[in-house]
Amino acid sequence: MHTPAIENISSPVLAVDIGTATMRALFYIPGADHEHLPRFVLPSPETALIARIRQNAARHRHIYLHGAAVSRRCVPALEEHLAAGLSVGMHPQTAAFFYPDTRALEDTGIVISPAAPPLFTSLSAQDVDPDFWHRLMEDAGLPRPETILTAVADDGPLPRGEDETGEERVRAAYFRRLFAESRGEGTVLTRMLYAEPPEPFLRLRAIQRITQCPVADGFTAFLLGGMSLPTLEKRSLREGIVLLYAGNTRLRAGLLFRGRLWGVCERPVVEPASLPRVLKELDDFRLGWLTAEALGAPDGSVSMVAPLPAEAEGFRPLFAGGPRAAMFTEHGQIRSPYGDAAMHGCWGLLYGYSRNEYA
């Protein structure tokens, strides 16, 4: 059994890992057996919001959005609603998040109002609602979580007038900044859980303002989940390792050595027939040779590394997780805390929080 090293948590903590289609939540209660910890798999906030937008369109209802932190992948559903001749209203804070360019907002016909206009159905556009979780725990006879940790793949928009969005580009801006600031020494992984998220993460910053608790990028939560396993942590002290997330649409890999992150790469997922190409890319990545251009930068692919330490010995061991990790069974080992792949990122959040080194 792959038991994570979770220590120094003395009060109930809810860890929420928000994906594109679903969000997973793990309620950690000190002293409880891991098999009895409450787990939840629910539609992601963006999935639920898109469904509600379309339900209201089918009923010919105008809608009003409030809240300031949910994926911008909801925008096409809003545009469909407007194209159907129905009205969309937004709270000013919500509008600023979805449309940072005020000129683009003016062209949409969206009504900006501090409250829902008459005959408009009010919809929440918020990733995390602490009141929802508090009510759920109360109804289930569970203690109230004192801390709500959140991980999400922030899809922007990028700050300072940059018009690019998409989680790959936001994450690339983030890692570019991290490696520039690390001055060739890698980035301490446990400090990538943030009490105050850095600027590229506008969505995470909005979540943190709501919860007043630490947050992390979704890929960081995955990496922390891997390093929560003592066997992987000890291995990474002797030599560098690769932690690979094999998702349904993206492959993401990190180079880990002695508690620090030395490189990241990301590319679209491939079918098994193209696996040899991915393995060759991973070999180049381990050596610091892989470029974003080699992966195909227009699709949001990313590859960047800090100067790699010789002591890492080439980052040969590969440990994989995620829904398509089985593709790499013959080339590495599959690892998740307690073998629970669905809660991998939640355990990562708990591990990072328990180390109490977050920025």
Side-chain angles (χ1 to χ4, degrees), residues 23-358:
M23 67 175 174
R24 286 80 60 194
L26 175 65
F27 190 29
Y28 184 83
I29 303 172
D33 188 277
H34 77 92
E35 293 181 349
H36 299 149
L37 294 176
R39 293 163 168 79
F40 308 89
V41 179
L42 301 170
S44 68
E46 69 183 80
T47 299
L49 179 57
I50 290 170
R52 289 195 293 269
I53 292 171
R54 289 176 174 159
Q55 287 167 2
N56 279 277
R59 296 167 184 167
H60 303 287
R61 292 178 179 173
H62 307 307
I63 58 173
Y64 173 81
L65 272 60
H66 59 92
V70 78
S71 172
R72 297 182 78 256
R73 283 184 284 262
C74 297
V75 170
L78 294 174
E79 294 173 345
E80 293 171 9
H81 199 85
L82 291 165
L86 298 166
S87 296
V88 174
M90 284 189 184
H91 186 279
Q93 188 180 23
T94 310
F97 183 80
F98 279 109
Y99 296 95
D101 185 344
T102 55
R103 293 170 298 177
L105 178 61
E106 291 171 358
D107 295 336
T108 64
I110 291 174
V111 178
I112 308 301
S113 171
L119 304 180
F120 277 58
T121 300
S122 184
L123 303 178
S124 173
Q126 190 163 295
D127 276 315
V128 178
D129 180 358
D131 289 340
F132 165 80
W133 292 108
H134 292 157
R135 290 193 304 269
L136 179 60
M137 300 309 173
E138 182 179 353
D139 290 345
L142 295 168
R144 182 188 183 103
E146 295 188 15
T147 302
I148 299 178
L149 309 172
T150 310
V152 70
D154 200 319
D155 57 356
L158 288 172
R160 298 179 182 172
E162 297 181 61
D163 58 3
E164 287 189 310
T165 60
E167 63 186 70
E168 298 85 13
R169 291 177 174 84
V170 173
R171 190 180 292 111
Y174 165 59
F175 284 119
R176 192 176 300 115
R177 172 178 169 177
L178 277 186
F179 290 136
E181 294 175 348
S182 72
R183 302 183 183 277
E185 297 182 354
T187 298
V188 178
L189 185 61
T190 50
R191 294 179 187 166
M192 292 166 62
L193 179 70
Y194 293 105
E196 296 183 13
E199 187 178 61
F201 290 138
L202 299 187
R203 186 177 172 192
L204 282 173
R205 288 163 72 93
I207 293 172
Q208 196 279 331
R209 284 193 294 270
I210 294 166
T211 64
Q212 295 295 298
C213 297
V215 296
D217 168 66
F219 183 48
T220 297
F222 171 80
L223 295 175
L224 286 166
M227 295 309 292
S228 74
L229 300 174
T231 52
L232 267 64
E233 183 179 33
K234 291 177 182 177
R235 184 75 175 269
S236 73
L237 294 176
R238 300 195 310 269
E239 61 181 322
I241 66 172
V242 178
L243 290 183
L244 173 71
Y245 174 77
N248 290 316
T249 60
R250 310 289 296 181
L251 296 176
R252 301 182 180 107
L255 302 178
L256 279 299
F257 180 55
R258 295 179 179 171
R260 293 176 179 264
L261 179 67
W262 296 86
V264 294
C265 72
E266 178 168 356
R267 62 150 11 260
V269 76
V270 298
E271 296 305 317
S274 299
L275 186 57
R277 174 185 171 185
V278 173
L279 296 174
K280 175 61 168 63
E281 291 169 352
L282 284 173
D283 284 340
D284 290 345
F285 176 52
R286 290 176 169 109
L287 297 171
W289 296 348
L290 186 65
T291 64
E293 290 73 20
L295 292 168
D299 58 20
S301 298
V302 175
S303 180
M304 56 187 72
V305 296
L308 299 179
E311 299 89 337
E313 299 181 355
F315 297 88
R316 298 310 306 173
L318 173 69
F319 300 94
R324 303 190 68 175
M327 291 174 57
F328 297 89
T329 301
E330 297 181 4
H331 309 282
Q333 300 179 49
I334 312 301
R335 287 286 190 273
S336 282
Y338 294 116
D340 189 354
M343 298 295 153
H344 186 118
C346 297
W347 285 111
L349 287 170
L350 290 166
Y351 170 72
Y353 181 68
S354 73
R355 295 294 295 269
N356 196 30
E357 297 177 0
Y358 44 88

Side-chain angles (χ1 to χ4, degrees), residues 14-25:
L14 180 69
V16 182
D17 183 12
I18 300 174
T20 302
T22 63
M23 67 175 174
R24 286 80 60 194

